[in-house]
mmCIF file of all heavy atoms in Angstrom:
data_model
loop_
_atom_site.group_PDB
_atom_site.id
_atom_site.type_symbol
_atom_site.label_atom_id
_atom_site.label_comp_id
_atom_site.label_asym_id
_atom_site.label_seq_id
_atom_site.Cartn_x
_atom_site.Cartn_y
_atom_site.Cartn_z
ATOM 1 N N VAL A 78 56.405 14.071 125.890
ATOM 2 C CA VAL A 78 55.513 13.283 126.750
ATOM 3 C C VAL A 78 54.154 13.104 126.081
ATOM 4 O O VAL A 78 53.577 12.012 126.101
ATOM 5 C CB VAL A 78 55.389 13.944 128.143
ATOM 6 C CG1 VAL A 78 54.283 13.324 128.963
ATOM 7 C CG2 VAL A 78 56.705 13.850 128.893
ATOM 8 N N ASP A 81 54.335 10.750 122.988
ATOM 9 C CA ASP A 81 54.474 9.375 123.442
ATOM 10 C C ASP A 81 53.125 8.817 123.895
ATOM 11 O O ASP A 81 52.788 7.671 123.601
ATOM 12 C CB ASP A 81 55.489 9.282 124.577
ATOM 13 C CG ASP A 81 55.637 7.874 125.081
ATOM 14 O OD1 ASP A 81 56.187 7.041 124.342
ATOM 15 O OD2 ASP A 81 55.173 7.599 126.206
ATOM 16 N N ALA A 82 52.337 9.633 124.584
ATOM 17 C CA ALA A 82 51.017 9.188 125.034
ATOM 18 C C ALA A 82 50.079 8.945 123.854
ATOM 19 O O ALA A 82 49.316 7.971 123.850
ATOM 20 C CB ALA A 82 50.416 10.228 125.971
ATOM 21 N N VAL A 83 50.144 9.805 122.859
ATOM 22 C CA VAL A 83 49.295 9.641 121.682
ATOM 23 C C VAL A 83 49.680 8.368 120.922
ATOM 24 O O VAL A 83 48.806 7.611 120.477
ATOM 25 C CB VAL A 83 49.383 10.888 120.768
ATOM 26 C CG1 VAL A 83 48.719 10.646 119.435
ATOM 27 C CG2 VAL A 83 48.760 12.091 121.468
ATOM 28 N N VAL A 84 50.972 8.114 120.801
ATOM 29 C CA VAL A 84 51.428 6.887 120.138
ATOM 30 C C VAL A 84 50.952 5.663 120.918
ATOM 31 O O VAL A 84 50.461 4.692 120.331
ATOM 32 C CB VAL A 84 52.968 6.892 119.983
ATOM 33 C CG1 VAL A 84 53.487 5.524 119.592
ATOM 34 C CG2 VAL A 84 53.385 7.939 118.976
ATOM 35 N N GLU A 85 51.055 5.703 122.246
ATOM 36 C CA GLU A 85 50.574 4.589 123.064
ATOM 37 C C GLU A 85 49.066 4.390 122.896
ATOM 38 O O GLU A 85 48.581 3.262 122.824
ATOM 39 C CB GLU A 85 50.897 4.826 124.536
ATOM 40 C CG GLU A 85 50.425 3.712 125.438
ATOM 41 C CD GLU A 85 50.730 3.952 126.902
ATOM 42 O OE1 GLU A 85 51.551 4.828 127.223
ATOM 43 O OE2 GLU A 85 50.146 3.245 127.738
ATOM 44 N N PHE A 86 48.329 5.487 122.810
ATOM 45 C CA PHE A 86 46.876 5.400 122.655
ATOM 46 C C PHE A 86 46.505 4.724 121.339
ATOM 47 O O PHE A 86 45.636 3.854 121.297
ATOM 48 C CB PHE A 86 46.270 6.803 122.728
ATOM 49 C CG PHE A 86 44.791 6.843 122.530
ATOM 50 C CD1 PHE A 86 43.929 6.405 123.519
ATOM 51 C CD2 PHE A 86 44.258 7.318 121.340
ATOM 52 C CE1 PHE A 86 42.560 6.434 123.334
ATOM 53 C CE2 PHE A 86 42.889 7.356 121.142
ATOM 54 C CZ PHE A 86 42.040 6.919 122.148
ATOM 55 N N GLY A 89 47.915 0.935 121.216
ATOM 56 C CA GLY A 89 47.298 0.029 122.179
ATOM 57 C C GLY A 89 48.293 -0.585 123.147
ATOM 58 O O GLY A 89 47.918 -1.315 124.049
ATOM 59 N N TYR A 90 49.545 -0.300 122.979
ATOM 60 C CA TYR A 90 50.585 -0.764 123.894
ATOM 61 C C TYR A 90 51.712 0.262 123.871
ATOM 62 O O TYR A 90 51.805 1.090 122.985
ATOM 63 C CB TYR A 90 51.115 -2.146 123.497
ATOM 64 C CG TYR A 90 51.775 -2.188 122.142
ATOM 65 C CD1 TYR A 90 53.144 -1.982 121.999
ATOM 66 C CD2 TYR A 90 51.020 -2.429 120.984
ATOM 67 C CE1 TYR A 90 53.742 -1.997 120.753
ATOM 68 C CE2 TYR A 90 51.616 -2.457 119.741
ATOM 69 C CZ TYR A 90 52.973 -2.246 119.631
ATOM 70 O OH TYR A 90 53.556 -2.259 118.402
ATOM 71 N N HIS A 91 52.559 0.191 124.910
ATOM 72 C CA HIS A 91 53.669 1.125 124.970
ATOM 73 C C HIS A 91 54.901 0.486 124.375
ATOM 74 O O HIS A 91 55.163 -0.697 124.577
ATOM 75 C CB HIS A 91 53.938 1.568 126.415
ATOM 76 C CG HIS A 91 54.769 2.798 126.493
ATOM 77 N ND1 HIS A 91 56.126 2.760 126.619
ATOM 78 C CD2 HIS A 91 54.434 4.098 126.433
ATOM 79 C CE1 HIS A 91 56.597 3.986 126.653
ATOM 80 N NE2 HIS A 91 55.589 4.829 126.541
ATOM 81 N N TRP A 92 55.668 1.230 123.665
ATOM 82 C CA TRP A 92 56.808 0.714 122.932
ATOM 83 C C TRP A 92 58.038 0.513 123.821
ATOM 84 O O TRP A 92 58.970 -0.163 123.436
ATOM 85 C CB TRP A 92 57.138 1.619 121.758
ATOM 86 C CG TRP A 92 57.360 3.043 122.133
ATOM 87 C CD1 TRP A 92 56.412 3.966 122.435
ATOM 88 C CD2 TRP A 92 58.609 3.705 122.263
ATOM 89 N NE1 TRP A 92 56.986 5.164 122.753
ATOM 90 C CE2 TRP A 92 58.346 5.036 122.651
ATOM 91 C CE3 TRP A 92 59.929 3.314 122.093
ATOM 92 C CZ2 TRP A 92 59.337 5.960 122.880
ATOM 93 C CZ3 TRP A 92 60.914 4.253 122.314
ATOM 94 C CH2 TRP A 92 60.625 5.546 122.689
ATOM 95 N N ILE A 93 58.056 1.064 125.053
ATOM 96 C CA ILE A 93 59.193 0.877 125.960
ATOM 97 C C ILE A 93 58.831 -0.092 127.089
ATOM 98 O O ILE A 93 59.561 -1.024 127.372
ATOM 99 C CB ILE A 93 59.654 2.217 126.568
ATOM 100 C CG1 ILE A 93 60.194 3.146 125.493
ATOM 101 C CG2 ILE A 93 60.719 1.985 127.634
ATOM 102 C CD1 ILE A 93 60.597 4.512 125.998
ATOM 103 N N PHE A 94 57.696 0.150 127.741
ATOM 104 C CA PHE A 94 57.318 -0.612 128.921
ATOM 105 C C PHE A 94 56.286 -1.686 128.573
ATOM 106 O O PHE A 94 55.401 -1.455 127.761
ATOM 107 C CB PHE A 94 56.715 0.306 129.991
ATOM 108 C CG PHE A 94 57.590 1.476 130.338
ATOM 109 C CD1 PHE A 94 57.187 2.769 130.040
ATOM 110 C CD2 PHE A 94 58.811 1.287 130.964
ATOM 111 C CE1 PHE A 94 57.980 3.855 130.361
ATOM 112 C CE2 PHE A 94 59.615 2.359 131.288
ATOM 113 C CZ PHE A 94 59.205 3.646 130.980
ATOM 114 N N ASP A 95 56.367 -2.814 129.251
ATOM 115 C CA ASP A 95 55.347 -3.859 129.122
ATOM 116 C C ASP A 95 54.306 -3.605 130.211
ATOM 117 O O ASP A 95 54.527 -3.884 131.381
ATOM 118 C CB ASP A 95 55.971 -5.246 129.296
ATOM 119 C CG ASP A 95 54.933 -6.340 129.197
ATOM 120 O OD1 ASP A 95 53.889 -6.113 128.558
ATOM 121 O OD2 ASP A 95 55.166 -7.413 129.764
ATOM 122 N N LYS A 96 53.176 -3.066 129.815
ATOM 123 C CA LYS A 96 52.148 -2.680 130.781
ATOM 124 C C LYS A 96 51.055 -3.724 130.928
ATOM 125 O O LYS A 96 50.051 -3.473 131.584
ATOM 126 C CB LYS A 96 51.545 -1.342 130.375
ATOM 127 C CG LYS A 96 52.557 -0.227 130.383
ATOM 128 C CD LYS A 96 51.934 1.079 130.035
ATOM 129 C CE LYS A 96 52.969 2.163 130.053
ATOM 130 N NZ LYS A 96 52.426 3.457 129.766
ATOM 131 N N THR A 97 51.222 -4.872 130.359
ATOM 132 C CA THR A 97 50.169 -5.886 130.417
ATOM 133 C C THR A 97 50.014 -6.471 131.810
ATOM 134 O O THR A 97 49.000 -7.098 132.092
ATOM 135 C CB THR A 97 50.464 -7.025 129.429
ATOM 136 O OG1 THR A 97 51.759 -7.566 129.717
ATOM 137 C CG2 THR A 97 50.416 -6.517 128.000
ATOM 138 N N LYS A 98 50.972 -6.258 132.690
ATOM 139 C CA LYS A 98 50.869 -6.792 134.044
ATOM 140 C C LYS A 98 50.256 -5.802 135.034
ATOM 141 O O LYS A 98 50.005 -6.153 136.171
ATOM 142 C CB LYS A 98 52.243 -7.233 134.538
ATOM 143 C CG LYS A 98 53.250 -6.120 134.589
ATOM 144 C CD LYS A 98 54.629 -6.641 134.958
ATOM 145 C CE LYS A 98 55.587 -5.470 134.987
ATOM 146 N NZ LYS A 98 56.704 -5.571 134.163
ATOM 147 N N TYR A 99 49.997 -4.557 134.625
ATOM 148 C CA TYR A 99 49.441 -3.549 135.527
ATOM 149 C C TYR A 99 47.925 -3.618 135.511
ATOM 150 O O TYR A 99 47.298 -3.605 134.448
ATOM 151 C CB TYR A 99 49.888 -2.142 135.123
ATOM 152 C CG TYR A 99 51.390 -1.959 135.073
ATOM 153 C CD1 TYR A 99 51.961 -1.107 134.155
ATOM 154 C CD2 TYR A 99 52.237 -2.646 135.936
ATOM 155 C CE1 TYR A 99 53.325 -0.930 134.092
ATOM 156 C CE2 TYR A 99 53.603 -2.478 135.888
ATOM 157 C CZ TYR A 99 54.135 -1.623 134.969
ATOM 158 O OH TYR A 99 55.493 -1.456 134.911
ATOM 159 N N ALA A 100 47.327 -3.617 136.698
ATOM 160 C CA ALA A 100 45.872 -3.744 136.814
ATOM 161 C C ALA A 100 45.137 -2.571 136.167
ATOM 162 O O ALA A 100 44.124 -2.761 135.498
ATOM 163 C CB ALA A 100 45.482 -3.870 138.283
ATOM 164 N N GLU A 101 45.629 -1.356 136.368
ATOM 165 C CA GLU A 101 44.976 -0.169 135.789
ATOM 166 C C GLU A 101 44.935 -0.254 134.268
ATOM 167 O O GLU A 101 43.961 0.122 133.640
ATOM 168 C CB GLU A 101 45.710 1.115 136.187
ATOM 169 C CG GLU A 101 45.449 1.583 137.579
ATOM 170 C CD GLU A 101 44.106 2.277 137.702
ATOM 171 O OE1 GLU A 101 43.610 2.865 136.728
ATOM 172 O OE2 GLU A 101 43.552 2.217 138.798
ATOM 173 N N PHE A 102 46.005 -0.718 133.682
ATOM 174 C CA PHE A 102 46.072 -0.796 132.229
ATOM 175 C C PHE A 102 45.143 -1.883 131.693
ATOM 176 O O PHE A 102 44.488 -1.707 130.670
ATOM 177 C CB PHE A 102 47.512 -1.052 131.768
ATOM 178 C CG PHE A 102 47.683 -1.012 130.281
ATOM 179 C CD1 PHE A 102 47.716 0.202 129.613
ATOM 180 C CD2 PHE A 102 47.794 -2.171 129.544
ATOM 181 C CE1 PHE A 102 47.866 0.249 128.247
ATOM 182 C CE2 PHE A 102 47.938 -2.134 128.172
ATOM 183 C CZ PHE A 102 47.978 -0.917 127.525
ATOM 184 N N ILE A 103 45.084 -3.006 132.413
ATOM 185 C CA ILE A 103 44.252 -4.121 131.967
ATOM 186 C C ILE A 103 42.770 -3.782 132.090
ATOM 187 O O ILE A 103 41.994 -3.959 131.155
ATOM 188 C CB ILE A 103 44.582 -5.403 132.765
ATOM 189 C CG1 ILE A 103 46.010 -5.847 132.452
ATOM 190 C CG2 ILE A 103 43.598 -6.515 132.455
ATOM 191 C CD1 ILE A 103 46.540 -6.909 133.388
ATOM 192 N N VAL A 104 42.370 -3.241 133.255
ATOM 193 C CA VAL A 104 40.951 -2.986 133.514
ATOM 194 C C VAL A 104 40.459 -1.757 132.760
ATOM 195 O O VAL A 104 39.470 -1.803 132.045
ATOM 196 C CB VAL A 104 40.703 -2.825 135.029
ATOM 197 C CG1 VAL A 104 39.270 -2.419 135.307
ATOM 198 C CG2 VAL A 104 41.053 -4.106 135.755
ATOM 199 N N ASN A 105 41.156 -0.647 132.919
ATOM 200 C CA ASN A 105 40.682 0.620 132.355
ATOM 201 C C ASN A 105 41.371 1.002 131.052
ATOM 202 O O ASN A 105 40.981 1.964 130.409
ATOM 203 C CB ASN A 105 40.891 1.753 133.359
ATOM 204 C CG ASN A 105 40.095 1.544 134.610
ATOM 205 O OD1 ASN A 105 39.037 0.936 134.584
ATOM 206 N ND2 ASN A 105 40.604 2.028 135.725
ATOM 207 N N ASN A 106 42.440 0.298 130.713
ATOM 208 C CA ASN A 106 43.240 0.632 129.542
ATOM 209 C C ASN A 106 43.687 2.097 129.586
ATOM 210 O O ASN A 106 43.591 2.820 128.607
ATOM 211 C CB ASN A 106 42.483 0.322 128.249
ATOM 212 C CG ASN A 106 43.442 0.138 127.095
ATOM 213 O OD1 ASN A 106 44.625 -0.105 127.295
ATOM 214 N ND2 ASN A 106 42.924 0.252 125.892
ATOM 215 N N ARG A 107 44.154 2.516 130.767
ATOM 216 C CA ARG A 107 44.602 3.897 130.957
ATOM 217 C C ARG A 107 45.977 4.114 130.353
ATOM 218 O O ARG A 107 46.810 3.233 130.314
ATOM 219 C CB ARG A 107 44.636 4.239 132.444
ATOM 220 C CG ARG A 107 43.246 4.400 133.008
ATOM 221 C CD ARG A 107 43.259 4.894 134.412
ATOM 222 N NE ARG A 107 43.914 6.188 134.495
ATOM 223 C CZ ARG A 107 44.148 6.789 135.653
ATOM 224 N NH1 ARG A 107 43.812 6.216 136.783
ATOM 225 N NH2 ARG A 107 44.744 7.952 135.690
ATOM 226 N N ILE A 108 46.204 5.330 129.930
ATOM 227 C CA ILE A 108 47.458 5.716 129.306
ATOM 228 C C ILE A 108 48.340 6.376 130.372
ATOM 229 O O ILE A 108 47.907 7.291 131.060
ATOM 230 C CB ILE A 108 47.214 6.717 128.162
ATOM 231 C CG1 ILE A 108 46.202 6.176 127.164
ATOM 232 C CG2 ILE A 108 48.508 7.132 127.494
ATOM 233 C CD1 ILE A 108 46.648 4.957 126.428
ATOM 234 N N SER A 109 49.581 5.899 130.479
ATOM 235 C CA SER A 109 50.513 6.527 131.423
ATOM 236 C C SER A 109 51.755 7.061 130.720
ATOM 237 O O SER A 109 52.555 7.763 131.325
ATOM 238 C CB SER A 109 50.926 5.544 132.512
ATOM 239 O OG SER A 109 51.660 4.481 131.961
ATOM 240 N N GLY A 110 51.919 6.734 129.473
ATOM 241 C CA GLY A 110 53.041 7.257 128.699
ATOM 242 C C GLY A 110 54.389 6.869 129.277
ATOM 243 O O GLY A 110 54.617 5.721 129.642
ATOM 244 N N LEU A 111 55.272 7.837 129.383
ATOM 245 C CA LEU A 111 56.621 7.604 129.876
ATOM 246 C C LEU A 111 56.682 7.415 131.388
ATOM 247 O O LEU A 111 57.757 7.149 131.922
ATOM 248 C CB LEU A 111 57.530 8.775 129.477
ATOM 249 C CG LEU A 111 57.796 8.903 127.984
ATOM 250 C CD1 LEU A 111 58.542 10.190 127.687
ATOM 251 C CD2 LEU A 111 58.565 7.713 127.474
ATOM 252 N N PHE A 112 55.563 7.534 132.079
ATOM 253 C CA PHE A 112 55.553 7.413 133.534
ATOM 254 C C PHE A 112 55.368 5.976 133.999
ATOM 255 O O PHE A 112 55.207 5.740 135.190
ATOM 256 C CB PHE A 112 54.463 8.308 134.133
ATOM 257 C CG PHE A 112 54.708 9.760 133.870
ATOM 258 C CD1 PHE A 112 53.963 10.447 132.944
ATOM 259 C CD2 PHE A 112 55.713 10.434 134.535
ATOM 260 C CE1 PHE A 112 54.194 11.778 132.684
ATOM 261 C CE2 PHE A 112 55.956 11.765 134.288
ATOM 262 C CZ PHE A 112 55.193 12.445 133.360
ATOM 263 N N ASP A 113 55.367 5.024 133.078
ATOM 264 C CA ASP A 113 55.293 3.591 133.347
ATOM 265 C C ASP A 113 54.087 3.257 134.216
ATOM 266 O O ASP A 113 52.965 3.357 133.753
ATOM 267 C CB ASP A 113 56.597 3.103 133.974
ATOM 268 C CG ASP A 113 56.716 1.593 133.991
ATOM 269 O OD1 ASP A 113 56.022 0.933 133.200
ATOM 270 O OD2 ASP A 113 57.508 1.058 134.789
ATOM 271 N N GLU A 114 54.298 2.872 135.469
ATOM 272 C CA GLU A 114 53.209 2.398 136.319
ATOM 273 C C GLU A 114 52.448 3.544 136.991
ATOM 274 O O GLU A 114 51.372 3.340 137.537
ATOM 275 C CB GLU A 114 53.773 1.457 137.379
ATOM 276 C CG GLU A 114 52.749 0.642 138.083
ATOM 277 C CD GLU A 114 53.363 -0.366 139.024
ATOM 278 O OE1 GLU A 114 54.585 -0.580 138.989
ATOM 279 O OE2 GLU A 114 52.595 -0.944 139.794
ATOM 280 N N GLU A 115 52.971 4.731 136.970
ATOM 281 C CA GLU A 115 52.340 5.883 137.608
ATOM 282 C C GLU A 115 51.384 6.532 136.601
ATOM 283 O O GLU A 115 51.796 6.938 135.533
ATOM 284 C CB GLU A 115 53.397 6.891 138.028
ATOM 285 C CG GLU A 115 54.490 6.296 138.848
ATOM 286 C CD GLU A 115 54.484 6.820 140.254
ATOM 287 O OE1 GLU A 115 53.770 7.779 140.516
ATOM 288 O OE2 GLU A 115 55.201 6.246 141.066
ATOM 289 N N TYR A 116 50.146 6.658 136.985
ATOM 290 C CA TYR A 116 49.139 7.240 136.095
ATOM 291 C C TYR A 116 48.957 8.718 136.421
ATOM 292 O O TYR A 116 47.934 9.137 136.942
ATOM 293 C CB TYR A 116 47.838 6.451 136.201
ATOM 294 C CG TYR A 116 48.009 5.054 135.649
ATOM 295 C CD1 TYR A 116 48.328 3.989 136.475
ATOM 296 C CD2 TYR A 116 47.911 4.830 134.290
ATOM 297 C CE1 TYR A 116 48.531 2.727 135.947
ATOM 298 C CE2 TYR A 116 48.108 3.571 133.754
ATOM 299 C CZ TYR A 116 48.419 2.528 134.593
ATOM 300 O OH TYR A 116 48.620 1.281 134.063
ATOM 301 N N ILE A 117 49.975 9.496 136.087
ATOM 302 C CA ILE A 117 49.992 10.923 136.391
ATOM 303 C C ILE A 117 50.168 11.759 135.125
ATOM 304 O O ILE A 117 50.471 12.947 135.212
ATOM 305 C CB ILE A 117 51.115 11.265 137.388
ATOM 306 C CG1 ILE A 117 52.470 10.839 136.849
ATOM 307 C CG2 ILE A 117 50.848 10.642 138.744
ATOM 308 C CD1 ILE A 117 53.649 11.333 137.648
ATOM 309 N N LEU A 118 49.955 11.174 133.989
ATOM 310 C CA LEU A 118 50.215 11.850 132.717
ATOM 311 C C LEU A 118 49.412 13.144 132.581
ATOM 312 O O LEU A 118 49.960 14.200 132.274
ATOM 313 C CB LEU A 118 49.906 10.911 131.551
ATOM 314 C CG LEU A 118 50.026 11.510 130.158
ATOM 315 C CD1 LEU A 118 51.479 11.739 129.821
ATOM 316 C CD2 LEU A 118 49.382 10.611 129.143
ATOM 317 N N SER A 162 44.386 10.510 128.934
ATOM 318 C CA SER A 162 45.048 9.983 130.130
ATOM 319 C C SER A 162 44.049 9.316 131.074
ATOM 320 O O SER A 162 44.436 8.495 131.895
ATOM 321 C CB SER A 162 45.803 11.089 130.861
ATOM 322 O OG SER A 162 44.906 11.980 131.492
#
Side-chain angles (χ1 to χ4, degrees):
V78 169
D81 179 70
V83 170
V84 167
E85 180 181 345
F86 178 74
Y90 62 91
H91 197 267
W92 55 283
I93 295 177
F94 307 114
D95 179 25
K96 297 182 180 182
T97 56
K98 60 185 180 236
Y99 303 147
E101 283 282 332
F102 186 77
I103 295 168
V104 174
N105 297 330
N106 202 19
R107 287 187 60 186
I108 306 295
S109 65
L111 293 172
F112 297 106
D113 193 21
E114 195 174 349
E115 308 247 349
Y116 293 94
I117 58 170
L118 175 72
S162 72

